[in-house]
Amino acid sequence: MSGIRMHSRSLVALVASLAAFTAWGATIEILNTDSPGVGFNDKTAAAPVGGNEGSTLGEQRMNVYKKVASVWGQQLPEGPVIQISANWPALDCNSSQAVLGQAGAVTSWHDFPNAPKTGTWYPAALANTLAQVDLDDGAKPEISSSFNVNLGKANCLEGTPWYLGLDGNAPAGSIDFAVVLTHEVGHGLGFATPTNGSTGLQPRDTDGKRYPTVWESMMFDNTAGKTWLEMTAAERRTSAINPRGLVWTGPKVVADMPSVLKKGTPMLTVKSKKFPDVAGVYLVGPAEFGPPLSGTALKGGMARVIDQADGATGLACDPLSSANASLVAGKVALLDRGTCNFSVKVKNAQDAGAIGVIVVNNVAGGPPGSLPGSDDTVVIPSVMITQADGATLKTVLTGSLLSTDKITAVMGIDKTRYAGADAAGRVMLFTPNPFQGGSSVSHWDTSASRNLLMEPAINDDLPTFKVSAPKDLTLELLKDIGW
């Protein structure tokens, strides 16, 4: 048996205890690698919460892990025991953001007994299940996982603690550990490709030879017209930063996608006979506030907000000047991200008479999944476009042409397309530009609606313990790779 490749994770030497859960399908063992008094071994008293009857903080953490192990075990076929090492270190965090957790396959294998494809890497848990034998004779766990022990404390999203209930009713201002854990175990089972998106290089065996991963034949780039399996390393590197251009072609995901995603892809179409260089369809992130985009498109001329001393920046964080308001009135306003909340900008443009708003991102990359904010007094639609697309529009909306009917913005939804899928019904992978280590490629795109478990950020509306259609597509992708 050949082809073991170690991932970059290290395991804590101390194994304090082991918990096992046997479902009707797979058996999953949880290896507690925390030191005494830490993480799962924390003896701090805790009151029961949301169906979790543990009497200590550590016991409640383990109860959630057992429940998640049960959920996944019931979905997976029978095979050798899947061991998951688990601990609670202090992961990176500060007052405004935090790494919640991380997990991945400890090893990968190729050319093992019963491998569906030769010369192809498979994550350890899947490889063992296909081979019906533990390929390393139990020398290493199949998955390693870690979760942030400091979450909610000072300088680590203070006031935003873990919710350890099992009922999916995490109160506002907390983070549901069950959902985060279900996501991370999904990565460990194979919802990730070890192919390096930042370099395009395939994983190397101990003999120095590189092999593709099982993902690569099902990752198709709509711009290049190729799968990652057909690409060079340089082409894969380019594909990994092709926003909303990389899709999953696995048959199970394609077949079940219509039962999960909603129809209606947010779109911005710019029309102009006089300025054909700016005409076309723009990728957008719709706002979470104000009226949603609809099949009845909003149409209007465009006007650029310029209300700053430098004469070039339009943040709209303050009420627009009378001169700028006269240009914006009756138009779709183009303004810049930064300094204040999105809802403040849109409300100021609305008060100046704008019928819609396009926010230009202030950092490079693809559009966001949504434009966050809240204001019940906003009654006009708004979207965000990329920094690059904003620069294109600004090349025309300048000088004496700050407001014009010769460029028409059409804001609405394409009711023929599913949100998060391309025109052919293939779900998009997350490929922002610039590349985001740990997030790019190995997640669904943030444009998906309904929100999916394996997006790069955990959304508040995710159903607890749901991993398959019609609620989610995680299990469908895992089945595509061989589960």
Side-chain angles (χ1 to χ4, degrees):
M1 299 174 189
S2 65
I4 190 169
R5 183 182 79 90
M6 292 302 299
H7 286 255
S8 59
R9 299 187 184 279
S10 60
L11 301 181
V12 178
L14 173 65
V15 178
S17 63
L18 181 149
F21 186 89
T22 303
W24 69 268
T27 299
I28 297 176
E29 288 183 349
I30 306 161
L31 280 67
N32 171 5
T33 62
D34 277 320
S35 301
V38 176
F40 292 118
N41 305 319
D42 190 327
K43 303 300 183 182
T44 302
V49 56
N52 190 335
E53 299 299 321
S55 60
T56 68
L57 187 57
E59 187 179 2
Q60 288 191 353
R61 288 166 173 164
M62 182 57 75
N63 285 346
V64 178
Y65 221 120
K66 289 178 180 179
K67 175 64 175 179
V68 170
S70 168
V71 169
W72 274 116
Q74 292 175 46
Q75 300 291 340
L76 303 175
E78 187 176 356
V81 172
I82 300 170
Q83 290 191 330
I84 305 179
S85 71
N87 66 353
W88 289 80
L91 300 178
D92 289 345
C93 59
N94 55 41
S95 60
S96 60
Q97 58 186 4
V99 175
L100 302 179
Q102 55 192 24
V106 174
T107 57
S108 294
W109 293 81
H110 68 80
D111 295 305
F112 49 86
N114 302 322
K117 297 181 180 181
T118 60
T120 302
W121 291 111
Y122 289 80
L126 175 55
N128 288 351
T129 300
L130 292 169
Q132 285 297 295
V133 64
D134 192 323
L135 293 167
D136 66 3
D137 296 321
K140 298 180 177 67
E142 284 66 51
I143 299 170
S144 66
S145 64
S146 300
F147 297 91
N148 200 330
V149 73
N150 288 330
L151 188 71
K153 299 178 181 179
N155 298 316
C156 189
L157 290 185
E158 185 171 1
T160 307
W162 289 112
Y163 175 67
L164 299 178
L166 302 173
D167 58 356
N169 292 322
S174 64
I175 296 175
D176 196 325
F177 177 49
V179 175
V180 175
L181 177 57
T182 305
H183 171 107
E184 293 300 337
V185 173
H187 281 314
L189 292 168
F191 202 110
T193 177
T195 304
N196 192 320
S198 64
T199 65
L201 293 175
Q202 297 166 332
R204 192 196 303 270
D205 200 352
T206 53
D207 62 2
K209 185 175 180 180
R210 297 189 184 278
Y211 294 92
T213 69
V214 65
W215 271 52
E216 291 180 32
S217 65
M218 289 172 278
M219 301 164 70
F220 183 82
D221 189 289
N222 281 325
T223 303
K226 295 180 181 180
T227 67
W228 271 34
L229 189 62
E230 299 166 321
M231 290 181 177
T232 64
E235 288 173 324
R236 286 189 288 269
R237 185 171 65 249
T238 298
S239 179
I241 52 173
N242 182 15
R244 298 183 184 170
L246 183 65
V247 298
W248 185 263
T249 62
K252 187 63 177 172
V253 170
V254 171
D256 288 351
M257 178 278 296
S259 71
V260 179
L261 298 185
K262 299 176 182 178
K263 273 196 172 179
T265 297
M267 305 290 282
L268 167 65
T269 302
V270 176
K271 300 180 179 180
S272 180
K273 292 182 179 179
K274 184 174 179 61
F275 304 102
D277 289 345
V278 303
V281 177
Y282 290 66
L283 298 176
V284 301
E288 296 176 359
F289 55 90
L293 299 179
S294 70
T296 302
L298 178 147
K299 301 180 181 179
M302 293 187 67
R304 184 175 169 189
V305 173
I306 294 182
D307 207 43
Q308 306 297 313
D310 60 10
T313 306
L315 293 173
C317 290
D318 299 309
L320 273 60
S321 68
S322 57
N324 204 194
S326 66
L327 297 176
V328 167
K331 300 289 194 299
V332 175
L334 183 77
L335 52 84
D336 293 320
R337 178 181 184 177
T339 305
C340 61
N341 293 338
F342 296 117
S343 56
V344 172
K345 297 172 180 291
V346 176
K347 182 63 186 304
N348 283 331
Q350 174 182 295
D351 290 345
I355 61 173
V357 169
I358 301 168
V359 179
V360 178
N361 208 345
N362 58 0
V363 293
S370 64
L371 201 63
S374 177
D375 187 340
D376 292 339
T377 67
V378 172
V379 296
I380 62 174
S382 54
V383 298
M384 180 182 281
I385 61 175
T386 67
Q387 186 180 47
D389 286 343
T392 297
L393 292 172
K394 289 176 183 178
T395 60
V396 176
L397 293 171
T398 187
S400 62
L401 204 68
L402 290 176
S403 180
T404 180
D405 290 321
K406 297 185 182 297
I407 303 174
T408 301
V410 182
M411 299 168 61
I413 62 171
D414 181 347
K415 293 188 289 185
T416 67
R417 287 183 55 174
Y418 290 90
D422 70 358
R426 299 170 300 196
V427 184
M428 294 181 286
L429 296 169
F430 184 58
T431 51
N433 184 7
F435 186 84
Q436 295 181 16
S439 294
S440 290
V441 181
S442 293
H443 290 90
W444 296 126
D445 189 68
T446 55
S447 62
S449 180
R450 70 180 68 213
N451 283 318
L452 299 175
L453 175 67
M454 301 308 292
E455 292 181 39
I458 297 297
N459 295 288
D460 292 337
D461 61 347
L462 292 173
T464 308
F465 307 126
K466 302 297 183 182
V467 299
S468 62
K471 297 294 185 181
D472 194 64
L473 289 168
T474 307
L475 184 63
E476 281 67 28
L477 183 142
L478 294 179
K479 288 182 176 179
D480 278 339
I481 67 172
W483 278 102

